Amino acid sequence: MTKYLNMTRQLNSFFKRVNKLTERELEAESTFFQVERLARKKSAEYIWEHMAPNGLFNNEQNYWNELLKQIPTRGLLFEFGVYKGRSINYLAEQLNKKGDRRRIYGFDSFLGMPERVNKYGPHKDKYDLKGIKPVVLPNVNLIKGHVEETFATFMDNLKLKDKSIAFMHLDLGMYQPTKYILEQALPYLKKGTIIDFDELLGYADWQENEYKAMMETIGRYCDFEHIAYCEPETVTEVKAAIRITRLYPTHR
Ligand SMILES: C[S@@+](CC[C@H](N)C(=O)[O-])C[C@H]1O[C@@H](n2cnc3c(N)ncnc32)[C@H](O)[C@@H]1O
């Protein structure tokens, strides 16, 4: 009986090894795998060219803590793409700890992604909470709906003299709504505004998503510097934060 068990164990471990090898070989053969590798190499080159001194993180909490240290003390705080509230609740908790009494406004349809753009994009139903808002800390305000229908009205209705934006975390996962928000936000940006892109770099079509939206808006109307990057250990997408250093007179 023991002999039989040992043999089964040995066979199992042999087949596991063969399977792993085949997976690796298949990966090496796959064109898409090569595309991913090339995309990561290009991301690395981008970071190399736009280095953020002391700004390379592999833990997103440390990365966000650093951004919170650098945000202007006046101005609005936003997150676009809230889902279950993981990032917004973390940011809100840290604001509390810092004694920063500002609220953070979170925008989401809570309906997930409207479409799947291509092989690399998220599945249509991923992140679908059927419109139900998650539980958030008291210093978070959630605005439900598609950002294309909520953000402009929200800004128009705000009864504040200073509607400048201090910080925004963009995590909508797609080019179109990200570009829309950045275009709408342009009049409210100022020198010092920090914009945190959840997945600027590091995956096959990064140049078609947040990066493209950034270059077509911020890149056209502002000067900016990169202040931090974060590649969490569990994912390949790279977060990147920029600070606005100058707005061109035509930006509005
Ligand atoms: C990647 S998830 C956000 C994850 C979240 N920041 C976290 O840390 O868990 C992206 C979210 O963007 C939302 N979303 C995508 N397009 C949107 C749009 N046009 N308007 C509003 N919400 C949208 C989805 O409903 C989804 O919850």
Side-chain angles (χ1 to χ4, degrees):
M1 185 65 176
T2 326
K3 203 173 158 196
Y4 171 76
L5 276 177
N6 276 343
M7 216 170 79
T8 321
R9 267 192 219 118
Q10 275 170 12
L11 273 177
N12 274 344
S13 109
F14 171 75
F15 282 120
K16 265 188 197 156
R17 282 218 307 277
V18 170
N19 274 345
K20 266 207 183 133
L21 195 71
T22 321
E23 263 172 38
R24 255 190 262 136
E25 275 170 0
L26 277 175
E27 274 185 350
E29 289 291 311
S30 150
T31 307
F32 284 169
F33 179 71
Q34 302 301 334
V35 173
E36 293 268 353
R37 279 177 64 155
L38 202 56
R40 274 187 229 153
K41 184 167 176 271
K42 286 188 179 294
S43 304
E45 283 168 5
Y46 181 88
I47 296 177
W48 182 259
E49 279 163 30
H50 304 87
M51 192 47 84
N54 303 317
L56 298 185
F57 295 84
N58 59 9
N59 169 302
E60 57 187 6
Q61 299 194 342
N62 293 344
Y63 164 79
W64 282 323
N65 292 348
E66 180 57 34
L67 301 191
L68 291 177
K69 272 190 215 154
Q70 299 193 33
I71 59 172
T73 50
R74 283 168 185 272
L76 298 162
L77 312 171
F78 290 120
E79 176 170 86
F80 300 96
V82 173
Y83 187 41
K84 291 185 180 169
R86 192 182 62 90
S87 45
I88 205 163
N89 275 328
Y90 181 77
L91 291 164
E93 189 189 344
Q94 296 310 307
L95 286 168
N96 267 336
K97 281 192 184 154
K98 269 163 50 101
D100 189 327
R101 300 176 71 85
R102 282 177 289 184
R103 315 188 68 70
I104 176 159
Y105 297 96
F107 290 74
D108 202 304
S109 61
F110 303 107
L111 292 172
M113 302 302 179
E115 59 188 302
R116 190 178 196 208
V117 186
N118 60 30
K119 172 190 182 301
Y120 303 110
H123 284 277
K124 187 178 176 301
D125 296 333
K126 199 173 174 195
Y127 305 114
D128 187 357
L129 295 180
K130 312 279 179 229
I132 298 168
K133 291 181 185 177
V135 176
V136 287
L137 293 181
N139 55 339
V140 175
N141 274 30
L142 294 179
I143 296 93
K144 182 167 125 179
H146 287 111
V147 292
E148 296 84 343
E149 287 150 24
T150 53
F151 182 62
T153 321
F154 173 88
M155 290 307 277
D156 288 346
N157 291 345
L158 260 190
K159 304 259 175 296
L160 287 176
K161 255 195 200 158
D162 177 9
K163 295 190 191 180
S164 67
I165 297 176
F167 171 78
M168 46 202 290
H169 175 215
L170 281 158
D171 194 8
L172 292 162
M174 289 173 59
Y175 163 75
Q176 284 295 350
T178 307
K179 178 162 180 193
Y180 174 84
I181 285 299
L182 288 171
E183 269 172 349
Q184 293 295 315
L186 279 172
Y188 306 104
L189 300 182
K190 59 181 173 183
K191 193 175 166 192
T193 300
I194 289 182
I195 307 177
D196 173 18
F197 293 91
D198 205 78
E199 43 193 40
L200 196 73
L201 310 161
Y203 52 100
D205 57 347
W206 63 269
Q207 286 165 326
E208 300 302 316
N209 286 321
E210 288 180 350
Y211 174 78
K212 185 173 178 201
M214 175 179 87
M215 293 315 287
E216 290 176 352
T217 53
I218 309 295
R220 213 167 270 172
Y221 300 108
C222 315
D223 287 342
F224 64 92
E225 61 187 358
H226 280 275
I227 56 169
Y229 297 98
C230 177
E231 184 181 33
E233 269 155 23
T234 47
V235 292
T236 59
E237 288 87 352
V238 176
K239 300 172 189 299
I242 61 166
R243 183 186 1 253
I244 305 296
T245 51
R246 190 169 76 94
L247 292 139
Y248 307 155
T250 51
H251 83 285
R252 281 163 214 269

